[in-house]
Amino acid sequence: KKRHFRTLRSSLRSPTLRKQLRKLPPLHQEEEEVANSPAANMSSISFKVGQRVHSVGDPRRIGTVKYVGTVEGYSGSWVGVDWDNGEGKHDGTVNGVRYFQARSDRSASLVRPQNLSASISFLEALCIRYKGQSTKEEEEEMYVLSGKNRRVPVEFLGKEKIQDKLSRFDELTNASLSFLGVSTPGSSEDISSTVPNIKELDLTGNLLSEWKDIGIIYEQLPCLTALNLSHNLMSDVVTGLPQLSRIRVLVLNCTGIKWTQVEELKPLLPVIEELHLMGNGICEIKSNVLFPSASNNIEDLASIDSLNLFPNLMDIRISENPITEPARGGIPRFVLLARLSKVEMLNGSEVRVRDRKECEIRYVRLVMSQLHDKPDEIKKLHPRIGFDRRFSELKRLHGIEDERPSTVAAGPQKMAAGLLSVTLKCVGASMGEKDPITKKLPASTTVGKLKILCEIFFKLRSVKPKLYLEEESSPLPQLLDEEMASLVDVGVGNGSTILVDEES
């Protein structure tokens, strides 16, 4: 090696060679990517605009072809790519010439065709992932650091047995083909005969875009119930997709899907239980999207009601949307639970039977308290007819009667009509025996304000009160922990009893 290095160094010192090197034209900034490729002047590999591709040697660097052709001032064919991760060099304009329009100022590149990988088939990826042997270089990269910061090779015991088991495709029930460049099903008949027992399939980060190809893969996997298509940029038009009658879990995170496509998918997903749509820029669950976003931006209850169109959808995650954040004009969790009739998991938290019952009763009481006094609030809370059905359904379910309208005359009595008669009971161990007291409080009194009043009413010193709403319909009292919520908001009505406990 030293001898070859000395020879190369001597050659570079040659005046003749150095003179020839100086005559070469400067490299185009994009041509640097392929300057060391021996195939830089090979004939063009066939690519078409709209095709999904990934960089050779890096299947996680994925983009969409936006241009195929020549570049002014440079020989051969070039491919313009708009990269998903936004890491390019320009916006599709090079040396003052626009070849295409990229998504951002620096998400595009012009590269040689041979530096891009068009795709492989589903079965080819399967063989690479489960039958391919690790290379010597890959095995050398498997190491841990010793106490002296030296590399200690990792040796996998039973590697042959594991590899043998995985290579028996007919026994595979779970398969992960993430970031392998899959763009086509390949020979569909071979799929069903090769992997007949796959139940869960992960196709994250591949080059799939056509729904018909998803349909072909699905139809050839008779046991498939869970499918992950995250980070595949799917077509705007759902065509050629059969009914996915066995799919219970479908993950479509970061696929560019819009709610109009979700509506098209609805009749094709009769048994869906989990539908994941994170990172798609969905801002309204309607037939249109108002503006793009890095995440979703749901802010109206009509969109929440639309989720009830999926009767088997029981696990819903809508956190970090304005609708779930009261500080951003959203609504409390108990309203969401009352509106979503089938949900069993909301934002990763289990919905217990008792929780649901309490939330539904609290919701009905909130609506009834505002029905006459705050019609504008009711219109905001219930923007469409879905309110009438759900509200009436919950009243019947929990046996809640309509409140009779007050016959008190207007005028001086008006202030008293807006007051709630509330009984306060001390139950804290260190509070001593104190008689219950009944007070008339404005319905707008907040939970935080009531805590301060309790300290005054019961002369509590160095004791921070904790409030619970006692309800006949519930076996356990409901904790009132939303400091800024009004009594009406938390379900306190005329004649309610509130237990005053102490912070532990």
Side-chain angles (χ1 to χ4, degrees), residues 66-67 82 91-93 98-105 107-108:
K66 295 291 186 178
Y67 171 79
D82 197 0
D91 67 350
T93 300
R98 176 166 295 284
Y99 295 95
F100 59 96
Q101 180 62 61
R103 291 179 296 111
S104 66
D105 292 343
S107 65

Side-chain angles (χ1 to χ4, degrees), residues 258-260 263 284-289:
K258 300 177 178 62
W259 187 251
T260 51
E263 291 177 334
E284 283 192 301
I285 305 182
K286 289 183 175 181
S287 58
N288 65 316
V289 176

